[in-house]
Amino acid sequence: MHLTRQEEKMCQGEYGEAIRKSMEIIVALGDIYQAGGLVNITSAQVSGVSYKTIGDAGLEYLEEIASCRAKTRVPSTLNPAGIDLENWEKLGFSAEFSQHQQRIVEAYGKMDVMTTCTCTPYLIGNVPLKGSHIAWSESSAVAYANSILGARTNREGGPSALAAAICGKTADYGYHLSQNRLTDLIVEVKCDLKGIDYDSLGYLIGKNVKEGRPYFKLKNRPIIDNLKGLGAALASSGAVALYHIEGITPEYQDAAPEEAEDKIIIDQVELDSVKKELSTTTDTPDLICLGCPHASLEEIRYVAEILENKTLKNDLWLCTSINMKHAAARMGYAQIIEEAGGKLVFDTCMVVAPIEELDYKVIGVNSAKAANYVPNLCGLEVVYDDLPALLDLN
Ligand code: F3S
């Protein structure tokens, strides 16, 4: 792999130990994937935050690299942590877990990774331009950045995204190259999509195409909230990092669909079948978890509208970023949700929080990604359905 003189010096430790260690990771990946060289990045998004998923080994690594005075060189935001950093006690998380979690977030903060703790960084200002090279690691955000923003990123791991943030560079392979951004499969959807249909579609296609690059022909125009659910599902049942939608996404005209060899046709019956496939029980959920990926202000408004002057019989968490939570409080949505018995939870989510340590058995979700992950990662039963069907209201 070709390195510039400056990059060689970075590898040799002339710019400090943190950059040397980070370059080691980037160059190793570049060698594995036969990159021609490195590219400068304009943005990073770093996963590997929850103490539940990275444990003591991850905590020690982060504290060690932070102690080398590592600093990010490009705007970098952080994925959700394992707790709501302010209200962890009220939600029932243990002090021990929370202390470890706080240390992880502090280590990232020392390196100037913005501790916004959200998987929807594109809703809070980390919005790279079309064609820019970036290093993002949250799989749903990677799908969004490549597909909706037209930025270029591979599915980085947490350590490689952090290394890229510290060096301001990543290896030039995979989705950074134009020839790897073409479609290989057409998906024609025969019905109008509404509610969780977008998630169900993503789940079905992700399972089918694995790492493919589907090109969707839809009957209706989606909104951003639909697309974040579609991409999250594609990236979780498969490993889709890039998709195109005819007439919608920025690179659909360059995607060369006429050369795609395969075509899938999807109808409403198949979409409806996903509810049954992903639900592990028909029992009533004792906790409803919304906001996977983290909710937008518009989604919070929708929940507030449904809950106004009602009382919830089941618990409800609406997961979002600290930014949306503050905006929702100003708009009065947070109060409506709390008066109905729900909670706006920020910094974390139903998958990366140790929710299995709380007293819940059945989690209701309207996200195919969450439904896919909760049984395995949390060991709990799950019901996957549209929001109105999940709610039990007085
Ligand atoms: Fe985000 Fe957690 Fe879902 S990180 S995409 S809310 S599993």
Side-chain angles (χ1 to χ4, degrees):
M1 186 169 64
H2 171 75
L3 297 180
T4 64
R5 276 205 61 140
Q6 192 210 22
E7 287 163 355
E8 276 172 4
K9 286 183 186 171
M10 291 166 85
C11 291
Q12 287 154 5
E14 284 196 31
Y15 294 88
E17 185 57 8
I19 287 186
R20 190 194 65 73
K21 281 187 177 173
S22 300
M23 282 296 274
E24 224 170 64
I25 296 173
I26 295 168
V27 170
L29 277 172
D31 283 340
I32 291 169
Y33 291 102
Q34 299 178 332
L38 306 184
V39 277
N40 291 333
I41 59 165
T42 58
S43 159
Q45 192 271 342
V46 183
S47 66
V49 188
S50 171
Y51 180 63
K52 171 173 156 176
T53 53
I54 68 168
D56 288 324
L59 169 57
E60 278 162 27
Y61 172 77
L62 290 168
E63 288 190 333
E64 189 195 322
I65 193 141
S67 73
C68 301
R69 302 213 185 104
K71 294 281 180 199
T72 59
R73 291 184 164 202
V74 294
S76 307
T77 51
L78 200 57
N79 221 33
I83 51 168
D84 177 323
L85 293 164
E86 289 175 25
N87 301 306
W88 55 268
E89 207 166 357
K90 282 189 213 149
L91 291 168
F93 296 119
S94 75
E96 195 194 345
F97 183 95
S98 302
Q99 278 158 11
H100 286 107
Q101 186 61 71
Q102 301 276 6
R103 279 172 57 193
I104 291 169
V105 172
E106 274 165 31
Y108 278 120
K110 272 191 197 155
M111 294 184 267
D112 283 342
V113 181
M114 294 171 217
T115 55
T116 41
C117 298
T118 182
C119 50
T120 53
Y122 45 85
L123 296 181
I124 62 157
N126 191 352
V127 191
L129 295 174
K130 182 182 174 196
S132 53
H133 297 282
I134 62 174
W136 285 23
S137 51
E138 157 56 36
S139 65
S140 65
V142 165
Y144 192 95
N146 274 321
S147 315
I148 312 305
L149 302 177
R152 298 183 169 208
T153 179
N154 290 315
R155 280 169 59 118
E156 300 284 351
S160 67
L162 179 62
I166 290 168
C167 298
K169 292 173 185 291
T170 192
D172 192 14
Y173 69 95
Y175 293 102
H176 292 284
L177 305 174
S178 299
Q179 66 265 32
N180 296 329
R181 300 179 67 85
L182 309 180
T183 188
D184 46 16
L185 169 96
I186 292 177
V187 180
E188 194 167 341
V189 180
K190 291 286 187 195
C191 51
D192 278 328
L193 299 174
K194 58 202 170 319
I196 59 169
D197 287 344
Y198 287 93
D199 279 63
S200 300
L201 175 64
Y203 173 77
L204 285 173
I205 300 304
K207 219 168 61 155
N208 191 303
V209 306
K210 309 288 183 222
E211 290 183 354
R213 299 176 297 275
Y215 180 102
F216 291 97
K217 294 183 176 199
L218 303 182
K219 283 184 76 182
N220 49 333
R221 284 187 74 81
I223 59 168
I224 281 176
D225 293 331
N226 305 139
L227 296 176
K228 70 186 175 70
L230 173 68
L234 282 165
S236 63
S237 62
V240 174
L242 168 66
Y243 62 92
H244 306 283
I245 305 179
E246 194 163 87
I248 305 276
T249 55
E251 292 175 64
Y252 85 91
Q253 283 170 317
D254 308 322
E258 63 283 355
E259 285 169 30
E261 284 176 8
D262 293 323
K263 183 173 183 177
I264 299 180
I265 295 179
I266 295 285
D267 60 22
Q268 191 67 55
V269 175
E270 285 165 287
L271 295 175
D272 290 344
S273 72
V274 178
K275 285 186 196 175
K276 216 171 172 184
E277 184 176 336
L278 281 177
S279 298
T280 61
T281 179
T282 52
D283 289 354
T284 306
D286 39 21
L287 173 66
I288 294 165
C289 284
L290 311 173
C292 174
H294 271 177
S296 67
L297 193 56
E298 184 59 17
E299 287 174 309
I300 298 172
R301 184 180 74 87
Y302 171 65
V303 176
E305 258 175 31
I306 295 180
L307 295 185
E308 190 153 24
N309 301 321
K310 305 262 177 23
T311 309
L312 282 156
K313 288 194 204 157
N314 21 30
D315 286 358
L316 179 141
W317 288 9
L318 177 45
C319 300
T320 190
S321 63
I322 186 168
N323 310 52
M324 294 304 152
K325 174 156 178 167
H326 284 157
R330 176 173 287 179
M331 293 300 294
Y333 308 150
Q335 291 87 325
I336 293 171
I337 292 167
E338 276 154 24
E339 276 166 25
K343 292 189 174 81
L344 267 185
V345 172
F346 59 100
D347 300 323
T348 189
C349 80
M350 65 298 277
V351 171
V352 297
I355 205 166
E356 60 280 8
E357 290 175 10
L358 309 181
D359 203 15
Y360 296 113
K361 304 230 164 359
V362 181
I363 310 294
V365 296
N366 62 351
S367 153
K369 174 175 178 176
N372 201 14
Y373 284 180
V374 161
N376 288 333
L377 294 179
C378 307
L380 300 171
E381 302 284 352
V382 73
V383 176
Y384 168 64
D385 211 331
D386 271 303
L387 178 58
L390 291 172
L391 292 172
D392 200 1
L393 295 171
N394 275 327

